[in-house]
Amino acid sequence: MEFLIEFIIEFIFEGLAEGAMEGLESKKVPMPLRILCAAVLFAVLIGIGVLFVLIGLSDDSVAVRIILGVIFLGLFGGLTWKVCKVFKKRRQ
């Protein structure tokens, strides 16, 4: 049963993330929908960050907190770079 739930959550998350990234990059998608896609990706990223914070608070290990912080900063930095790249290309 756990495998099925994990599969469904992974399927939904992967579809959401890939759909939002494709919508963000596509030139056929109107700008308001691109902004909505970027907002959805940032909301998902904030949710992952909150999950990392909760895991870090429940575990007293400093190493786990540092690793989770680095992963979160990498994800946030990569998404910010991607969004800036897409919108900068759109302006030119």
Side-chain angles (χ1 to χ4, degrees):
M1 186 67 169
E2 289 180 21
F3 175 73
L4 180 62
I5 293 172
E6 180 180 335
F7 179 72
I8 291 172
I9 290 173
E10 181 180 344
F11 183 73
I12 291 171
F13 181 71
E14 185 175 320
L16 177 73
E18 288 211 16
M21 285 299 288
E22 290 295 322
L24 188 64
E25 292 177 349
S26 176
K27 293 185 180 192
K28 294 180 180 180
V29 176
M31 186 57 81
L33 288 179
R34 286 186 182 191
I35 293 171
L36 181 65
C37 288
V40 166
L41 286 174
F42 276 116
V44 168
L45 187 64
I46 295 299
I48 291 172
V50 168
L51 177 66
F52 284 172
V53 167
L54 292 176
I55 290 172
L57 290 176
S58 68
D59 191 13
D60 292 331
S61 175
V62 175
V64 171
R65 291 180 184 178
I66 291 172
I67 290 171
L68 290 175
V70 168
I71 291 171
F72 177 71
L73 288 176
L75 287 172
F76 189 74
L79 183 61
T80 304
W81 173 75
K82 183 71 166 180
V83 168
C84 288
K85 180 179 150 186
V86 166
F87 285 111
K88 185 185 283 187
K89 188 184 292 185
R90 175 74 176 169
R91 267 194 253 164
Q92 294 177 355

